[in-house]
Amino acid sequence: MGPAAAPARRAADPLPALLRLRRDALPLPPRLFAQLHALLLTTGLARHSPNFSLLLRLASPLIPVSHRLSLLLCSPLPPTTFLANSLLLASSSSRCLPSKFSLYALLFLSSSSPPLLRPNAFTYPPLFRAAPPAVALALATHSIKFLGAQAASCDRVLGAALLDVFARCGRIASCRQVFDRIAHPDLPAWNALLSAYARLRARDVACTSSAADTILELFGRMLSLAAVRPNEITLIAVIGACGELGALGHGVWAHAYLVKRQLTVNCIVATALVEMYAGCGRLDLAEQVFFSVTDRDTGCYNVMLHGLAVHGHGRAALALFDRMRGTGVPVDGVTLLSVMCACAHAGLVDDGLEYFHRMEIEFGIEPRIEHYGCVVDMLSRAGRLDDAKKLIHEMPIAPNAAIFRSLIRACGIHGKLELGERMVAELRRLEPDDSGNHVLISNFYVRMDQWEDAKKARKEMKSMGIDKSPGSSLLDIDGVLHEFLVGDKTHPASKEIYTMVEEIETRLSECGHQSSTASVLFDVEEEDKADTLSYHSERLAIAFALIASTPGVPIRIIKNLRVCSDCHESAKLVSQVYGREIVMRDRTRFHHFRDGECSCGDFW
């Protein structure tokens, strides 16, 4: 055959094409895999480790474990850890987990002395990826003991894999321990650690603020390293922390960094930005980002709906929900919870009840305890306590503490002593050691003028060694976060702040303001009660903002507890007297104080 036929013969030869397969190619079907194996053996290419490693990685999960093991043990090459690791990489599917462990045990944990092979840093990551969290955690602990803590941290691949395992399992201390041992952490290591704190922030309410603080601190350290540059994964964690702390300046910087570096602002990143801007009180910017995204999914709609809800934009939330349904985006339980919360915060009780009753019939979603809690809260806020009580009795699931708290708070507002005491008994039964519950109960009795019962609640709390969570307020001024506690005198400008507090009180008194001393939980003289109210954390934050911020710029405050009624009234007057908009996020919702009015309509 002439020279012209040679190229055709080479083009038909499958070997070069097969050997050029990427390492993440799908496993080959057993028949094609057998053909490739035979081809490598007959051509002698099986004697080269890279070729045989590729063959092992392409092994189908349908091939029995014994057959795959024999491929390695009967190969033309002596078994090595490199080839054994290639065999373990042969599919990341979780259904291969038993076979992966069987291979690992046969190759590395044999009873022979010495064992057939010794694992290295590349042995464990594929096992971590295939295992469920609990098994992965056990494997991670085993790998550290087997290889040594220092060796585990020195290798970047294993270090990043360990960080990911500990992050997934919520072992933040172990995650930090591994990270701190890495001499020069790379981007995957930083991202794994930041993601671990982001998961902690989302999962554990008690650790939310501290985790967010740590994320921003770590991000600052990361930026100081010239060799590491943030990517989208990094910034998702950072943006979430900014939203939690109300650190608008940092959040805007992160958004600008995304744009300047031309990083991908996909639906996941956009969702984080929407949540951050809504959490920082800039609902306008949240909507701007939301409507700029073309591939909005359920999660993106949910955070926008929640943002509208906590800002009290009930009608806008219902309109967006209709738009969501019109575009065919799937609705889930979180979507309907956000819609009902929007109705609760805007006083749209009938609309909220309608969506609640349509959940199963129209959307096929069974109400969870959160949905029942939202409806009880909505009815309680509107003063429909009998309806709320009826719903609690008719619920197919046992009510939780949050439901009883909503009803107790409403009973205090609407003067329902008997019903409130029954709910107090239920709350004490469910959560006897919660400090917030004891404060709520004491507050309820104060509103009912039952001072002896209020004192008793405080004494019980003290005797059980339960400490009340202190009220704190975060204030963002020019990208710098300032934190204030009730009666705080640790701020460098403390003297000026207290002078401003006195000035504010004087000016508010001139406008006819009288402190609502029912907000103070102690049976003390009225004058002392008024003094105590003057030094609530949000009062100190407002006073400092009036001193330190640019005139005309909105004052943005994040408070960890519900704002009390007196501070709410004071903030309304401050916005009028000083001509400043105050945007305050408390534990329940946002309050926009402007010209002596609040966006909540005194409905919170």
Side-chain angles (χ1 to χ4, degrees), residues 108-187:
F108 298 110
L109 301 178
S110 63
S111 57
S112 60
S113 183
L116 180 62
L117 296 169
R118 182 172 179 81
N120 61 17
F122 295 94
T123 305
Y124 294 101
L127 295 173
F128 295 161
R129 287 193 294 271
V135 178
L137 181 62
L139 270 172
T141 306
H142 166 76
S143 69
I144 291 175
K145 289 180 179 177
F146 200 93
L147 299 175
Q150 194 59 40
S153 298
C154 286
D155 186 89
R156 290 186 176 184
V157 175
L158 180 58
L162 286 169
L163 286 170
D164 181 65
V165 170
F166 289 132
R168 278 193 291 148
C169 298
R171 299 298 183 93
I172 195 71
S174 300
C175 201
R176 192 62 186 264
Q177 208 171 30
V178 171
F179 181 85
D180 289 340
R181 286 199 189 106
I182 302 174
H184 301 289
D186 57 6
L187 182 59

Side-chain angles (χ1 to χ4, degrees), residues 315 318 339-340 343 347-358 378:
R315 291 296 179 194
L318 296 183
V339 170
M340 287 190 289
C343 294
L348 304 173
V349 181
D350 291 336
D351 294 276
L353 289 173
E354 181 185 350
Y355 283 112
F356 176 70
H357 293 310
R358 287 164 55 191
M378 178 170 56

Side-chain angles (χ1 to χ4, degrees), residues 305 308-310 312-319 321 335-356 374-375 377-379 381-382 589 603:
L305 285 167
L308 290 167
V310 296
H313 294 230
R315 291 296 179 194
L318 296 183
F321 179 60
T335 313
L336 289 168
L337 183 62
S338 296
V339 170
M340 287 190 289
C341 283
C343 294
H345 287 302
L348 304 173
V349 181
D350 291 336
D351 294 276
L353 289 173
E354 181 185 350
Y355 283 112
F356 176 70
C374 184
V375 176
D377 182 58
M378 178 170 56
L379 292 169
R381 287 169 184 269
R589 59 164 297 155
F603 186 82

Side-chain angles (χ1 to χ4, degrees), residues 574-590:
V574 168
S575 71
Q576 182 179 35
V577 171
Y578 287 87
R580 297 289 293 272
E581 179 184 359
I582 301 171
V583 181
M584 186 185 301
R585 187 183 89 194
D586 70 4
R587 192 173 59 185
T588 306
R589 59 164 297 155
F590 270 89

Side-chain angles (χ1 to χ4, degrees), residues 445-510:
Y445 283 122
V446 168
R447 282 183 174 273
M448 297 289 101
D449 289 327
Q450 304 291 315
W451 286 103
E452 288 303 317
D453 289 316
K455 284 181 181 179
K456 184 180 177 181
R458 301 288 297 190
K459 284 179 181 178
E460 285 178 2
M461 184 175 172
K462 189 175 181 180
S463 65
M464 296 171 69
I466 301 171
D467 293 325
K468 175 183 178 293
S469 299
S472 68
S473 294
L474 280 172
L475 178 70
D476 182 359
I477 296 182
D478 298 329
V480 179
L481 291 176
H482 302 263
E483 184 176 16
F484 297 91
L485 302 177
V486 59
D488 198 350
K489 293 187 178 181
T490 60
H491 195 279
S494 181
K495 185 177 179 180
E496 293 83 354
I497 291 170
Y498 276 77
T499 301
M500 177 56 76
V501 168
E502 292 176 8
E503 180 194 310
I504 292 171
E505 291 303 312
T506 301
R507 295 191 64 176
L508 296 190
S509 296
E510 291 171 355

Side-chain angles (χ1 to χ4, degrees), residues 475 477 542-556 571-583 592-597:
L475 178 70
I477 296 182
I542 290 171
F544 179 66
L546 291 174
I547 297 169
S549 64
T550 306
V553 173
I555 298 170
R556 303 183 185 280
K572 289 199 301 186
L573 273 175
V574 168
S575 71
Q576 182 179 35
V577 171
Y578 287 87
R580 297 289 293 272
E581 179 184 359
I582 301 171
V583 181
H592 294 255
F593 302 98
R594 189 185 298 113
D595 298 327
E597 300 292 335

Side-chain angles (χ1 to χ4, degrees), residues 14-15 18 29-42 55:
L15 183 60
L18 287 170
R31 182 178 178 83
L32 186 56
F33 177 81
Q35 291 176 348
L36 177 59
H37 185 200
L39 200 57
L40 288 173
L41 290 173
T42 55
L55 175 74

